Every structure is written in C-alpha cells, then in structure tokens.
Amino acid sequence: MACWVYEGMLLFAVVFVAGWLFSTLGQMRDAMDERRHLLQAFLFVVFGVYFVWFWIHGQTLAMKTWGLRIVDRSGRPLRQGRALLRYLLSWVWFLPPLAAIAPFSLSGGESALLIAGWVVVWALLARFHPQRQFWHDAWAGTRLIASKPLSRR
C-alpha cells in the first residue's frame, strides 16, 4: 500500500503535465468547462499508457523504490494485453464508490470518506485470497514479487 501511495504522488506530475497540455491546446479557460469530461477521458488514457508502458518493462518508478516487480503467473514479464487488462481491472479500487457517489450530491468530505472506506475494504479483501493477492491481480493473472530495480543492461 505504501508503494500505491507513493505512486499517487508521482502521478501528480503526470496529471499536471497532461492536464496543462490538454487545457492549453484546447484553450480551456476554467475547470467547469463543458469539455472537462473529455479531459477526464484523456487522463484515463494517459494513465493507461503510463502504467502499461512501465508494467511491460517490469516496474513503475514507485515499484523500483519499494523493490517490487510485476510478472504474470509464470513469473515472466507482462505482455501489453495483460498489462492493459490489469490497468482496467485496477479501477475496481475506485469505480464502485464513484458510481455510488454519482446519483447523490455528496459533499467533498463525504465523497472522500466513501472512497477511502472502499479502498480500505478492498485492500482487506486481499486477506481472503489464497496467496493474499489483490483481487485485480488474481483476475488479470499477474502478481507482485519482491525484486531489486531492473538494470538497463
């Protein structure tokens, strides 16, 4: 989970640059622009490219720091299709609470509490997996293993 939090901090830079690029090229004047849903879709794609690219190479920047590597069930590096499947399945961490928030006009604090509560519940559900994996990894046929950073050689 510490790696996950660190990954979020690194993604801040990715969101900043991608959001700036999108809003500058699209000449968006404010955050409530009617194209904000297009920006969200663009960021979804940017995140997908970021994660898939790093996962097919074995590690994201945060995974290198925390000594983790992503492999398939056989211990081989991920191929692009499996990495994309893992990316899509990893949205289970956020989509259920976001879907629950959508029909109600919850405050920011209530929304944050609902999302944080779901993340905790979803993380605890990994205790019920036989290898104590997160369920999106089990469904995608991937697993995290301890590893030193991969060299460029």
Side-chain angles (χ1 to χ4, degrees):
M1 289 299 291
C3 179
W4 189 71
V5 171
Y6 185 48
E7 194 77 66
M9 290 189 298
L10 294 174
L11 283 175
F12 179 79
V14 174
V15 169
F16 181 80
V17 171
W20 171 80
L21 182 65
F22 184 90
S23 62
T24 300
L25 294 176
Q27 297 183 356
M28 292 177 69
R29 301 283 182 224
D30 59 59
M32 297 311 292
D33 190 294
E34 66 274 355
R35 294 170 290 173
R36 70 183 179 279
H37 299 298
L38 192 57
L39 171 61
Q40 291 169 343
F42 176 71
L43 290 175
F44 178 80
V45 170
V46 167
F47 286 162
V49 168
Y50 171 88
F51 283 113
V52 168
W53 190 85
F54 276 110
W55 288 341
I56 63 175
H57 291 90
Q59 298 170 302
T60 64
L61 299 174
M63 292 168 78
K64 287 180 183 181
T65 302
W66 287 94
L68 298 172
R69 189 161 47 102
I70 186 82
V71 294
D72 66 11
R73 285 187 181 124
S74 303
R76 294 184 307 253
L78 299 188
R79 294 200 172 172
Q80 194 170 10
R82 188 166 307 274
L84 181 60
L85 177 63
R86 183 179 194 260
Y87 171 70
L88 295 174
L89 289 172
S90 70
W91 278 93
V92 166
W93 284 92
F94 297 105
L95 285 182
L98 292 176
I101 291 168
F104 306 104
S105 55
L106 299 179
S107 70
E110 292 168 333
S111 298
L113 183 63
L114 184 62
I115 292 170
W118 173 255
V119 166
V120 168
V121 167
W122 190 249
L124 289 174
L125 286 175
R127 308 288 260 161
F128 296 106
H129 187 275
Q131 286 88 36
R132 296 196 177 206
Q133 288 185 270
F134 292 120
W135 286 97
H136 70 278
D137 277 321
W139 296 332
T142 60
R143 60 190 173 104
L144 294 172
I145 60 171
S147 172
K148 292 182 180 179
L150 297 174
S151 70
R152 293 200 169 247
R153 295 180 201 174

